[in-house]
Amino acid sequence: MPLERLISARQLTIEVLHDIFQRARKMRAICQNSGRTSLLADKMIGLVFLEPSSRTLLSFQSAAQRLGAGIVFIQGVGSTSFEKGESLSDAIKVVSGYCDLIVARLPKSGDAQIASAASSVPFINAGDGGNEHPTQSLVDTFTIMEELGSLANLDYAFGFDPLQSRSIHSLCLVLSQFENVGFDFISPPELQAPGWLIEQCQSRNVRVSQSNALSELKNPDVIYLNRLQEERFPDRSLFEKYRYEYRLTPEQIPSSTRLILDPLPRVDEIALSVDELPIAGYFRQAQNGVYIRMALLSMLLGRTL
Ligand code: NCD
């Protein structure tokens, strides 16, 4: 069944991934050659971003415009009727009358479900609180596929805030479908991966381990890091306690490592000197965001190149 709404990475079956990756490769060729197509010239995309965003917002804008679509958007609650107390459902109902597809970044876990239910047009979750970030998991898996040629038979290390990182949650949900994968979560004891995620991974036969120190890194093929999610800490002193303690430096990278990714923004989790290494893939990963989001917009709007 074609995907019409993307709320959770649980919807991203291996079949869907392959379709999106194939589209993304074509979109990359378009970007590198003519730069634009008119595939969605008759479409209007609504961007509702109620939490800060740079990459996700800009790559969706770039994707929509490279496909020839128009854009209407809300950025931040300050200038909108949310300030006046309008509900999320009412706002989305209205916006879906102005456009053909909505992309929304929303502050609370579960908001994406509510917004999608209110939308009369296709809907994409661009991050709902500390819950999920399914489009980021597409960017991540596409990058791994393009750089390493496979998503299966790999050992992955995830740090340093698996409890609150929606990017880590969605990525693990997608990767857990693949054969012979291992996940090693590295974090302070208070920020370990949530029980639901561990259970899901184990039920799919992923080898799961957890440790509290970078020095205990096993032999990963891929290291995936994300900053401590400062804005989601109920207790700020916990953030302060660990903010400088978990930082990857070139000396700490095991020789098995073939790729280092980070959804960005980078704050303290990766030393600048890591950027020099050819295995530092995070800026290439960010660029893939445009191709993947072009692919996703075309798929959800039922268009093929
Ligand atoms: C991530 C997010 O918003 O969750 N950023 C992104 O979309 N590239 C990661 C983060 O903010 O730490």
Side-chain angles (χ1 to χ4, degrees):
M1 215 176 65
L3 202 62
E4 237 221 359
R5 290 163 194 267
L6 178 57
I7 296 159
S8 165
R10 293 173 203 269
Q11 298 168 262
L12 300 172
T13 60
I14 294 180
E15 201 185 350
V16 171
L17 283 189
H18 282 311
D19 187 346
I20 294 178
F21 291 178
Q22 265 179 6
R23 287 171 182 264
R25 291 184 189 112
K26 289 188 193 159
M27 297 303 179
R28 179 173 58 203
I30 288 172
C31 291
Q32 288 166 352
N33 297 323
S34 55
R36 276 173 190 265
T37 112
S38 53
L39 190 67
L40 300 184
D42 56 337
K43 299 291 184 187
M44 187 65 77
I45 308 296
L47 301 170
V48 178
F49 275 65
L50 304 186
E51 265 198 344
S53 175
S54 306
R55 272 148 293 271
T56 309
L57 177 61
L58 281 182
S59 59
F60 265 116
Q61 279 180 326
S62 174
Q65 292 185 355
R66 283 182 183 278
L67 291 166
I71 289 172
V72 286
F73 70 94
I74 293 175
Q75 194 178 2
V77 289
S79 58
T80 67
S81 292
F82 289 106
E83 275 288 270
K84 303 179 190 169
E86 186 173 36
S87 72
L88 177 60
S89 292
D90 282 3
I92 294 290
K93 262 182 211 160
V94 172
V95 178
S96 61
Y98 299 161
C99 59
D100 303 295
L101 179 149
I102 294 179
V103 181
R105 168 165 288 192
L106 304 166
K108 290 207 295 285
S109 224
D111 272 353
Q113 194 78 46
I114 296 169
S116 176
S119 175
S120 57
V121 295
F123 177 90
I124 297 175
N125 175 10
D128 60 333
N131 184 35
E132 275 216 54
H133 197 348
T135 72
Q136 183 64 46
S137 71
L138 286 169
V139 177
D140 303 338
T141 47
F142 181 64
T143 306
I144 299 165
M145 194 61 158
E146 295 305 275
E147 303 236 351
L148 303 185
S150 172
L151 294 163
N153 306 311
L154 293 173
D155 280 298
Y156 296 89
F158 299 97
F160 295 117
D161 187 353
L163 179 66
Q164 302 174 110
S165 166
R166 56 192 176 194
S167 297
I168 292 181
H169 299 165
S170 289
L171 180 55
C172 289
L173 287 173
V174 177
L175 289 176
S176 65
Q177 301 174 86
F178 288 86
E179 292 291 321
N180 187 28
V181 292
F183 297 170
D184 185 22
F185 296 99
I186 303 137
S187 72
E190 297 91 336
L191 301 178
Q192 285 184 342
W196 64 263
L197 187 62
I198 301 282
E199 278 161 31
Q200 171 82 25
C201 297
Q202 284 173 336
S203 74
R204 288 176 161 176
N205 298 322
V206 176
R207 297 181 296 279
V208 177
S209 58
Q210 305 198 57
S211 56
N212 298 139
L214 246 178
S215 57
E216 287 170 39
L217 256 182
K218 309 249 169 1
N219 286 309
D221 298 285
V222 179
I223 301 180
Y224 187 94
L225 299 181
N226 190 192
R227 70 189 170 93
L228 299 190
Q229 303 285 294
E230 179 177 359
E231 67 279 30
R232 307 202 195 284
F233 278 77
D235 171 7
R236 193 167 168 88
S237 63
L238 196 61
F239 168 70
E240 297 294 346
K241 180 174 167 192
Y242 291 119
R243 64 185 299 183
Y244 301 119
E245 203 175 302
Y246 289 82
R247 167 177 296 191
L248 186 76
T249 60
E251 302 70 47
Q252 291 164 319
I253 301 171
S255 59
S256 61
T257 311
R258 297 161 64 199
L259 187 60
I260 301 170
L261 297 179
D262 186 323
L264 304 175
R266 178 237 313 265
V267 186
D268 298 307
E269 73 280 10
I270 300 181
L272 292 180
S273 48
V274 175
D275 298 4
E276 313 295 319
L277 306 175
I279 57 171
Y282 27 93
F283 293 112
R284 299 190 293 275
Q285 176 188 6
Q287 186 170 3
N288 285 334
V290 174
Y291 316 138
I292 281 292
R293 290 173 174 124
M294 288 172 80
L296 201 53
L297 292 176
S298 73
M299 180 190 235
L300 267 65
L301 287 168
R303 293 278 163 88
T304 318
L305 276 171

